[in-house]
Amino acid sequence: MNLDFTAEELAFRDEVRAWIKQAYDSELKQLMSQSKNGYLDKAGQVRWQKKLAEKGWAAPGWPVQYGGPDWTPTQRYLFQSETAAAGCPIVSPMGIAMVAYVIMEYGSEAQKRRFLPKILSTDECWCQGYSEPGSGSDLASLQMSAVRDGDHYVLNGSKIWTTHAQWADWIFCLVRTSRDAKAQSGISFLLADMRTPGISIRPLPSLDGPIDGEQEVNQLFFENVRVPVENRIGEEGLGWTYAKYLLQFERGVAYGSLLRYLLAKIRKIAKQQPAGGGGMLIDDPDFRRRYAELAVRVEAVDAAEMRFFSGVESGTAVGAMSSLFKLVGTELQQDLSELAVEALGPDALPFVQDSFAEIRGRPASPRPIPDHVAAVTPLYFNYRKTSIYAGTNEIQRNLLARHVLSSAGVRG
Amino acid sequence: MDFDYSVEQDMLRDTLASYLADHYDFETRGAVVATPAGWRPKVWADLAERLNLLGAAFPEEYGGLGGGALENAVVMEELGKALVVEPYLGTVVIGGGLLKQVGGALAAEWLPRIIAGQAVLAFAYSEPQARYSLAEVATTATKRDGGYVLNGRKTGVTGGPWASQLLVTARSGEGISLLLVDADAQGLTRSDYPTIDGGRASDITFHDVFVPAERLLGAEGAALPLVERAADEAICALCAEAVGGMRRMLADTVAYASQRKQFGVALATFQVLQHRMADMFTALEQSAALTLVATMKLDRPAAERALVASAAKAQVGKAAKLVGQAAVQIHGGMGITEELALGHYFRRATAIGSQFGSTDFHLRRYADLSLADAA
């Protein structure tokens, strides 16, 4: 066992650092300082992801044959750490880190040729159509119908919590193609062009306020939407299998580097906020203790991720580890955002810049605030979603309990 | 021991609740919050004239109904349930409370105006470097020409845009003085902005603002004890408001969990969610009780009063976070949208957490007070 990086790995890290310094320009940084959820507006997001694609770094997890960079797990870890530490935008996962894997694993050759290059280059943006108004964590209860009509499916129903649907060129959805069998076996996995007639978008304003005038989530309505049968992934009725395969990518790993970025943000706030009574918050013993408690929790999840990444797996099921990381990672995101709000003290109260103000009917005269204060309270509100999406944390605990108890023969 | 409300207090609560049910539904509130004004002077006038409610906590000699802190708590809990933005806290609890403390000519002149709804007050005490400290005051009041000249900057003045008068803390010599300043005084500039909870606040700059000597509350340089007591009264009132908000969040959550189905059954049938709602109830009931105890002890000696006020604020701060976060979690994605009332209660609960001191601040104050003479 050896935790030191090799000379080659250190050289790779330096290369990443040098590239970030040049590619993550001041305009992107300025946009990012106002971001409430780690994303930029669409133009900024596409600009950033295209830079990554030109360098060949847009899809660290992809196989080389589809344009992946052929990195070792350690290189992937270093890349994530460096981009997170620099506060770079999150790469939108719906295309690159989600549907692409399903296409690679279960798609036809034609689908691979049609979709993967444009996902990689960010020429086409994707959104995810899983949840429905009545089906959240109980995903298999979804109702959106797809009725076969010649070489098309006709879709009717509604999807909700669709992140950045207004940016998307394509959507991948779970639809019900049969109501005969048990809930899971009547589901198919379809790709739909967002410009197909019959698809409409309703923005869902959320508590944190939108990013630069664009809402994060939407509700979608499908009214007699005709999708060619050739856009179905794999076999009809096996969509649940593909969805479960995708879910482990959605829950994902690699929280550690993002959490370290949040810790750095808190330190920055604490250095600039007065403690009241003369000193700064960074020297306040109560703050230091709370910071240290959270930092130790981050160390623990980061260590577990490094170990997982490096392939030193102790026979633990991947599914269990993805539930573990989802659970502790999102709870830390929430707790860190909470400490950030408290670190601001009275400065947490002003509502931040809201360029969406007019259509939300909100007065558009925000208090001018420094960058380190911007977006802190909205992030706290935004992060309430993390324990809800991709299977609530209650569901993750059930899955973990089932894993832990399985050896005792107890069924969850 | 008697935790029962009087007949009059019950009537006060029922009158207000019924008025708010008729005039303060969630949709109307949302529309009003979004207007440039951000509040409804008509509601304020109703509270004063139709309900005669702004005088509930003041002695009869000023035109009030003879009540006190408990009446404020009754009112604030109802305002919390309906998510009311109008400035009862700043005007009646803090502004009126400070005037009641000093008595004399200023109280005789201004309390009747507050009770009649004609004077709206805001408390301008916080400064950029102060965080939650009441004693960290850099704004100066210099004696000149039979009055005082104010210079300095106040931040985060809640309800600032709506106020006709401001109560301003300022350093004079070694001590802190408190002045009643007209909001349109010459040399005063205000920058207004919305707050996360649907309210309004201002940052206010004083540049050679002249205040006549008769607008000084209490003795020059001796206002800190007045301000500390007013802050403890504000804390108790905020705790009562938070209790009202928590009651609503728990009720909404129970209703939602009972009708929303997952895996073929109501959410409320899952034990893990039942336990979470039990924890919400537990946190809420203790908060409600401790808030009443703190409110009843506002007249005790300063150290005793401050100790239990800090206990209440710390307890309520933790509870409001627990209740709010659990309510959002159990509602799932809907809890984070602007469409349900719940999210707006959560935002208000979050804001209350950083008004007049966070949980951490009050835990420390509690420790300082309770361990002071432990040898």
Side-chain angles (χ1 to χ4, degrees):
Chain A
M1 207 173 290
N2 179 6
L3 294 181
D4 293 335
F5 295 120
T6 64
E8 291 77 23
E9 286 164 349
L10 290 174
F12 172 77
R13 187 192 65 190
D14 291 342
E15 185 192 357
V16 173
R17 278 186 188 170
W19 180 81
I20 290 172
K21 208 168 173 188
Q22 162 261 316
Y24 188 31
D25 56 45
S26 56
E27 190 191 327
L28 289 170
K29 274 187 190 153
Q30 176 57 32
L31 277 173
M32 197 60 190
S33 72
Q34 303 289 325
S35 170
K36 295 161 188 175
N37 58 4
Y39 295 109
L40 306 172
D41 60 356
K42 182 174 180 183
Q45 196 68 33
V46 169
R47 195 155 78 79
W48 171 244
Q49 291 188 199
K50 279 190 170 297
K51 284 185 179 211
L52 284 166
E54 280 157 24
K55 180 73 181 165
W57 290 354
W62 286 22
V64 189
Q65 65 184 112
Y66 299 120
D70 197 21
W71 284 342
T72 64
T74 304
Q75 282 179 304
R76 286 179 64 182
Y77 173 81
L78 286 170
F79 179 74
Q80 271 169 358
S81 301
E82 292 301 320
T83 47
C88 299
I90 302 170
V91 171
S92 176
M94 269 82 72
I96 280 176
M98 291 164 75
V99 74
Y101 288 105
V102 174
I103 294 173
M104 285 176 211
E105 183 74 13
Y106 299 106
S108 66
E109 279 311 310
Q111 286 169 337
K112 290 176 192 171
R113 277 198 305 275
R114 162 66 186 82
F115 293 112
L116 294 178
K118 291 192 167 172
I119 291 175
L120 191 63
S121 64
T122 320
D123 283 326
E124 287 178 348
C125 295
W126 284 75
C127 63
Q128 180 195 47
Y130 271 25
S131 293
E132 297 186 5
S135 305
S137 286
D138 178 14
L139 188 56
S141 68
L142 62 92
Q143 293 297 318
M144 188 156 104
S145 68
V147 176
R148 186 81 180 250
D149 177 24
D151 53 4
H152 281 80
Y153 288 104
V154 181
L155 274 53
N156 279 286
S158 177
K159 293 290 177 184
I160 199 166
W161 315 125
T162 319
T163 301
H164 295 156
Q166 75 276 22
W167 297 358
D169 304 292
W170 284 84
I171 181 170
F172 57 96
C173 353
L174 294 177
V175 295
R176 189 157 293 289
T177 40
S178 162
R179 293 181 195 274
D180 299 339
K182 77 167 200 171
Q184 283 86 345
S185 51
I187 292 172
S188 298
F189 194 110
L190 295 184
L191 315 179
D193 188 329
M194 284 293 283
R195 286 160 303 188
T196 317
I199 301 179
S200 57
I201 299 179
R202 181 175 78 105
L204 280 174
S206 49
L207 292 183
D208 53 313
I211 333 140
D212 289 320
E214 303 207 55
Q215 73 276 8
E216 182 170 333
V217 293
N218 304 272
Q219 184 171 3
L220 298 183
F221 298 95
F222 291 72
E223 203 179 334
N224 296 321
V225 174
R226 296 181 69 83
V227 175
V229 171
E230 68 191 40
N231 287 359
R232 187 189 69 218
I233 295 282
E235 289 178 46
E236 183 173 296
L238 288 189
W240 188 250
T241 307
Y242 315 142
K244 272 201 304 187
Y245 177 76
L246 187 149
L247 261 181
Q248 57 179 320
F249 294 99
E250 180 177 9
R251 281 170 198 156
V253 289
Y255 283 94
S257 40
L258 169 67
L259 298 173
R260 286 189 185 281
Y261 173 68
L262 292 172
L263 281 172
K265 187 159 181 159
I266 292 172
R267 290 196 300 273
K268 200 167 164 189
I269 293 170
K271 274 183 201 159
Q272 296 179 63
Q273 290 298 116
M280 302 307 274
L281 191 64
I282 194 92
D283 299 314
D284 177 284
D286 293 334
F287 169 79
R288 294 170 74 88
R289 183 184 168 87
R290 289 190 60 189
Y291 174 85
E293 280 179 352
L294 287 170
V296 168
R297 284 168 59 194
V298 172
E299 298 281 0
V301 63
D302 200 24
E305 280 189 347
M306 277 197 283
R307 182 164 182 235
F308 184 77
F309 260 116
S310 77
V312 188
E313 290 164 37
S314 46
T316 310
V318 173
M321 289 309 280
S322 98
S323 285
L324 182 153
F325 290 127
K326 200 272 172 173
L327 186 68
V328 296
T330 56
E331 288 186 352
L332 267 165
Q333 283 178 298
Q334 294 184 334
D335 292 351
L336 286 167
S337 70
E338 187 176 309
L339 182 60
V341 169
E342 287 176 32
L344 284 185
D347 285 337
L349 283 176
F351 207 84
V352 297
Q353 183 85 37
D354 184 354
S355 43
F356 223 30
E358 217 167 290
I359 70 162
R360 291 149 67 93
R362 197 172 267 151
S365 57
R367 179 195 204 181
I369 43 176
D371 280 353
H372 79 277
V373 174
V376 170
T377 315
L379 185 75
Y380 171 70
F381 292 134
N382 185 281
Y383 271 179
R384 302 319 307 169
K385 75 187 178 189
T386 65
S387 55
I388 295 167
Y389 66 37
T392 62
N393 284 13
E394 285 84 1
I395 299 273
Q396 305 306 324
R397 283 194 165 86
N398 287 346
L399 293 171
L400 286 166
R402 199 173 300 167
H403 170 76
V404 169
L405 292 171
S406 62
S407 61
V410 177
R411 295 192 56 186
Chain B
M1 198 161 300
D2 173 12
F3 272 87
D4 293 335
Y5 292 103
S6 69
V7 175
E8 290 78 14
Q9 287 159 350
D10 281 337
M11 264 176 57
L12 174 67
R13 182 181 54 237
D14 294 346
T15 309
L16 178 55
S18 123
Y19 173 83
L20 293 173
D22 291 342
H23 298 88
Y24 223 97
D25 61 279
F26 174 65
E27 286 70 28
T28 311
R29 184 242 186 217
V32 169
V33 159
T35 62
W39 73 311
R40 278 183 289 173
K42 174 72 171 70
V43 166
W44 196 247
D46 281 353
L47 296 182
E49 294 157 16
R50 270 174 67 171
L51 277 61
N52 199 14
L53 179 135
L54 301 187
F58 296 116
E60 284 155 8
E61 58 179 297
Y62 299 115
L65 300 177
L70 205 50
E71 277 68 19
N72 277 336
V74 167
V75 170
M76 287 295 288
E77 185 170 330
E78 291 310 308
L79 300 182
K81 280 182 198 162
L83 217 51
V84 170
V85 297
E86 278 71 17
Y88 189 87
L89 181 76
T91 302
V92 173
V93 178
I94 301 173
L98 280 165
L99 287 159
K100 191 164 87 172
Q101 277 196 70
V102 299
L106 268 180
E109 182 184 355
W110 288 95
L111 281 177
R113 293 186 192 175
I114 288 175
I115 293 168
Q118 292 155 357
V120 174
L121 271 56
F123 188 27
Y125 71 100
S126 182
E127 301 187 3
Q129 80 290 353
R131 198 167 172 86
Y132 298 121
S133 166
L134 299 168
E136 279 282 312
V137 175
T139 300
T140 54
T142 313
K143 220 165 178 165
R144 192 192 299 166
D145 304 333
Y148 296 88
V149 176
L150 273 178
N151 279 290
R153 178 163 178 254
K154 297 290 180 179
T155 49
V157 181
T158 305
W162 307 330
S164 56
Q165 274 76 32
L166 303 166
L167 282 159
V168 184
T169 54
R171 188 154 294 281
S172 40
E174 291 301 299
I176 290 168
S177 294
L178 186 62
L179 296 156
L180 184 68
V181 183
D182 291 330
D184 59 359
Q186 202 176 354
L188 183 157
T189 47
R190 233 181 49 218
S191 155
D192 303 335
Y193 47 88
T195 50
I196 55 167
D197 51 3
R200 293 289 189 283
S202 310
D203 292 350
I204 299 174
T205 307
F206 300 89
H207 181 75
D208 290 336
V209 174
F210 181 77
V211 186
E214 60 269 23
R215 291 287 192 92
L216 179 74
L217 276 76
E220 185 186 326
L224 191 57
L226 297 177
V227 169
E228 284 173 340
R229 163 146 189 168
D232 286 337
E233 290 177 1
I235 283 167
C236 290
L238 277 170
C239 288
E241 185 191 353
V243 166
M246 284 191 272
R247 289 197 192 288
R248 175 68 194 267
M249 288 195 280
L250 177 58
D252 282 7
T253 303
V254 169
Y256 183 79
S258 304
Q259 58 88 12
R260 170 82 157 103
K261 288 192 168 172
Q262 288 233 305
F263 305 101
V265 292
L267 284 181
T269 59
F270 293 106
Q271 196 176 43
V272 65
L273 300 185
Q274 291 172 353
H275 286 183
R276 207 142 177 191
M277 287 183 272
D279 289 343
M280 292 166 79
F281 176 76
T282 306
L284 161 59
E285 285 305 320
Q286 293 177 88
S287 299
L290 188 52
T291 296
L292 281 178
V293 170
T295 305
M296 298 296 287
K297 289 191 173 179
L298 279 169
D299 283 327
R300 300 282 177 89
E304 193 185 349
R305 176 199 78 216
L307 185 74
V308 68
S310 276
K313 189 66 166 61
Q315 160 69 24
V316 168
K318 275 182 68 177
K321 201 181 277 180
L322 181 148
V323 169
Q325 292 178 353
V328 170
Q329 180 72 17
I330 293 171
H331 274 78
M334 286 311 297
I336 320 174
T337 68
E338 295 216 317
E339 296 184 2
L340 291 193
L342 171 66
H344 299 262
Y345 283 87
F346 179 60
R347 283 215 286 231
R348 178 62 194 137
T350 304
I352 288 175
S354 63
Q355 284 185 277
F356 288 97
S358 63
T359 299
D360 278 356
F361 175 87
H362 284 289
L363 287 175
R364 188 191 296 200
R365 185 174 179 234
Y366 184 93
D368 289 347
L369 288 164
S370 63
L371 300 174
D373 46 12

